[in-house]
Amino acid sequence: MKVLLINPPRSPENNILKFAPAAAKQFIHKKLIGPPLGLLTIAAVVNDHDVVVFDIKGEYDLNPAAPPLRKLVKELVERYRPDVVGVTVITSEFNDSVTICQVAKEVNPTIMTVAGGLHATLLPFDFSDPSVDVVIPGQCPQIFRELMRAKEAGIPLESVAGILIRQQGVLTRTRGKPSSWDATGGDFLAIDRGHLAKWISTYKVGNSPDPSTYVFTSLGCPYKCTFCSIWTQFRGKFHQRTVESLIKELQSIPEYPVVRFADANTVVDMQFMNHLFDRIVDERIEKILVMDIRADVAANHPEIIAKMAKGGLKVVICGFESFRDEELLRYKKESPAADNQKAIEVFHEHGIMVRGNYVIPFDYDEDDFRALADYSSANPVVYAGYTILSPMPGTVYYQQIKDKIIDHNYNKYNFFNAVTRTTLPYEEFHERVGGLWLIKKGTDVI
Ligand code: B12
Ligand code: SF4
């Protein structure tokens, strides 16, 4: 069967950028660049079929004059004539994902459209649009494979456990329990980045001349920050890959000198990281490594940071979130503000560039903005990011403030737009968040 897997475009909604002071605009991050690991994993599980992965983000980066979404997808579907179209969905890309399914159906109503990914996991019933035939929640490669088998053999899709199918217009869960799938262990699937060859020149970050890629060492997170959708996606579980599968993957990607670990929270198991970095050094793997590390890890375990720096760690993204302990407690971050300062010292001591991220609540007033600016100026990092504390659907924070939400357009759920009423006038709030981006030590590094 022919399977076309599509990575939707980025949402263009960015009110921080729109209302920021002119001088700050150049520093505000506009797009993240990286491969759709989820889609590549799905591609790997059905590689006995004729599979095409199309990265629309990469396409617009490569060719900004590419046709608008509907026309682009129409051309794609007409060119590849797929039996199945799959989309990977995060909240801010939900609307465009549905558009992709609609266009596929317009071109050929017999195409089966399938949605998966984080939003499909947390809110599968959101896919009420009739153009979406099947929704598969969770880490589900084995289920997708079974779905392909059923479709190919003409077996009713009801026989595939663990999916939602449209019946008489309504999404209905199929019966039964899907077979288990150990995504990081025995069932780990090596991905083929060759699917993305067309866009490799666009996978560059900062001023790096070399392409970068993502590699995940774990899935999920053991913490439970109220604003975060990652632990809810994995129901609080944390799954670690094996050291040797990682060494093999790092050795297999010489075309990518820069590797960003895609983990939500990379350093959880110290023993594992120690072993991984021993092996990276043993095998003389020389990559520029970028990863997300919690402030408390650096503050409490400077020795592991020193070791990782020797093994190639050059850039760390650190969720500072706030400068106030009461806010951090409310977010259940389990790391006091003092850890942010200690972490900055530890990272800098080992020559690591820090990208520190703060989240700004909708009720910040002038005094709050001033206090944050003072703190951030006193604790400079190479590059600081300031986004909006956002009630992502499926999170605890969403439940806490859902009555205050006034904007339900999912395009805005990308951390760049307030979706509740703000204490300051709406435009001024975004302008002030934008202005904060001027506070930093260096230039863009990721
Ligand atoms: C890699 C990554 C990216 C990549 C690639 C994403 C893409 N599709 O293009 C890039 C760099 C482009 C990216 C961008 C953004 N991202 Co991002 N990203 C991640 C990250 C770090 C890892 C995701 C991952 O690869 N996981 C590993 C894979 C194997 O798991 P998976 O994707 O869940 O896939 C599995 C299943 O879900 C399923 N599946 C997935 N897709 C499909 C499709 C089908 C058809 C099927 C059947 C199954 C299926 O099967 C897969 C294998 O088991 C996560 C954080 C994290 N650690 O989880 C954030 C995350 C997904 N990103 C997030 C966000 C918000 C963004 C941005 C909007 C950030 C921003 N403000 O710029 C941007 C969007 C575009 C932009 N504005 O530039 C949020 C999403 C939150 C939400 N509730 O929607 C996350 C969770 C980070 C966070 N801090 O909250 N991102
Ligand atoms: S914000 Fe980071 S530490 Fe908190 S739950 Fe999410 S991934 Fe884990």
Side-chain angles (χ1 to χ4, degrees):
M1 273 198 306
K2 284 188 168 180
V3 183
L4 174 60
L5 299 173
I6 302 183
N7 188 23
R10 307 177 178 96
S11 159
E13 296 286 349
N14 189 335
N15 275 319
I16 298 181
L17 182 68
K18 184 171 168 192
F19 296 121
K25 285 191 199 278
Q26 59 174 310
F27 302 121
I28 294 171
H29 112 183
K30 293 155 196 83
K31 59 185 184 196
L32 279 178
I33 290 166
L37 293 180
L39 272 191
L40 292 177
T41 307
I42 293 299
V45 83
V46 289
N47 62 6
D48 50 335
H49 293 269
D50 180 359
V51 183
V52 171
V53 178
F54 198 91
D55 184 357
I56 295 187
K57 293 183 184 74
E59 186 66 11
Y60 283 136
D61 287 345
L62 191 66
N63 175 17
L69 185 63
R70 280 190 155 269
K71 188 157 185 267
L72 180 66
V73 176
K74 184 169 183 282
E75 285 172 7
L76 264 179
V77 175
E78 284 170 350
R79 187 174 350 136
Y80 293 115
R81 298 168 172 271
D83 302 293
V84 178
V85 167
V87 282
T88 185
V89 191
I90 61 170
T91 305
S92 60
E93 294 164 9
F94 173 88
N95 293 327
D96 281 339
S97 303
V98 172
T99 301
I100 291 168
C101 295
Q102 287 169 347
V103 176
K105 287 288 198 191
E106 282 160 21
V107 176
N108 178 359
T110 70
I111 289 174
M112 180 168 79
T113 54
V114 186
L118 182 138
H119 198 89
T121 302
L122 293 178
L123 294 140
F125 288 99
D126 270 1
F127 293 85
S128 57
D129 192 276
S131 67
V132 183
D133 293 323
V134 181
V135 181
I136 317 187
Q139 300 295 308
C140 57
Q142 84 287 24
I143 307 177
F144 187 73
R145 185 168 53 197
E146 218 181 300
L147 179 71
M148 291 302 99
R149 274 195 203 134
K151 180 163 167 61
E152 198 167 36
I155 298 168
L157 303 187
E158 289 89 324
S159 66
V160 181
I163 65 174
L164 292 86
I165 52 176
R166 195 165 302 282
Q167 289 179 319
Q168 282 93 47
V170 179
L171 276 182
T172 316
R173 267 188 209 278
T174 54
R175 287 166 187 268
K177 213 173 164 245
S179 53
S180 65
W181 185 255
D182 180 5
T184 51
D187 297 318
F188 172 74
L189 282 169
I191 57 171
D192 176 4
R193 290 176 177 78
H195 285 292
L196 306 174
K198 179 180 180 194
W199 304 284
I200 190 166
S201 65
T202 71
Y203 301 136
K204 287 186 182 154
V205 284
N207 299 323
S208 167
D210 300 314
S212 62
T213 193
Y214 279 48
V215 167
F216 71 86
T217 79
S218 64
L219 294 172
C221 178
Y223 289 87
K224 302 212 163 26
C225 304
T226 55
F227 53 77
C228 180
S229 35
I230 294 165
W231 69 269
T232 51
Q233 180 189 4
F234 290 90
R235 299 188 181 168
K237 300 252 167 48
F238 175 75
H239 311 273
Q240 188 90 67
R241 269 178 69 183
T242 66
V243 167
E244 290 316 312
S245 80
L246 277 161
I247 294 295
K248 210 165 142 195
E249 184 167 3
L250 291 171
Q251 284 170 329
S252 73
I253 45 173
E255 69 278 34
Y256 292 102
V258 183
V259 174
R260 176 164 176 193
F261 284 8
D263 307 60
N265 172 11
T266 316
V267 186
V268 170
D269 180 341
M270 299 298 152
Q271 230 183 327
F272 174 90
M273 274 300 152
N274 260 305
H275 185 195
L276 176 64
F277 275 79
D278 283 341
R279 294 286 294 124
I280 285 177
V281 172
D282 286 352
E283 295 293 331
R284 298 173 195 272
I285 294 172
E286 289 180 7
K287 300 271 187 204
I288 293 176
L289 298 177
V290 181
M291 58 183 87
D292 283 60
I293 299 182
R294 282 173 56 98
D296 58 340
V297 169
N300 300 330
H301 303 277
E303 70 296 338
I304 191 78
I305 305 299
K307 182 162 188 167
M308 292 196 295
K310 285 198 187 110
L313 176 58
K314 293 275 185 312
V315 181
V316 163
I317 298 109
C318 192
F320 294 157
E321 327 300 3
S322 174
F323 62 107
R324 289 183 176 132
D325 282 339
E326 66 270 24
E327 285 175 355
L328 290 165
L329 268 176
R330 208 180 323 133
Y331 305 157
K332 294 203 187 318
K333 186 74 196 183
E334 294 189 34
S335 176
D339 283 350
N340 292 340
Q341 284 150 296
K342 272 192 241 156
I344 294 172
E345 276 171 36
V346 172
F347 290 133
H348 285 172
E349 192 184 324
H350 297 290
I352 293 168
M353 293 188 275
V354 183
R355 156 134 199 183
N357 284 334
Y358 295 91
V359 290
I360 318 293
F362 63 88
D363 57 0
Y364 263 23
D365 61 17
E366 291 94 333
D367 292 340
D368 297 311
F369 273 102
R370 212 167 297 121
L372 170 56
D374 288 347
Y375 177 90
S376 179
S377 307
N379 297 284
V381 288
V382 171
Y383 201 73
Y386 306 84
T387 50
I388 295 167
L389 177 65
S390 302
M392 302 306 275
T395 61
V396 170
Y397 183 54
Y398 179 91
Q399 287 305 325
Q400 287 171 341
I401 66 152
K402 63 173 190 263
D403 297 340
K404 296 196 169 71
I405 296 176
I406 52 167
D407 193 338
H408 295 275
N409 176 0
Y410 278 159
N411 289 0
K412 301 242 178 78
Y413 287 69
N414 58 1
F415 313 144
F416 290 126
N417 308 283
V419 294
T420 54
R421 237 177 270 290
T422 48
T423 296
L424 289 171
Y426 186 81
E427 201 175 312
E428 183 185 344
F429 175 78
H430 290 88
E431 185 188 340
R432 284 179 180 269
V433 178
L436 290 168
W437 286 75
L438 289 163
I439 310 167
K440 60 186 187 54
K441 244 172 97 171
T443 49
D444 195 354
V445 285
I446 57 151

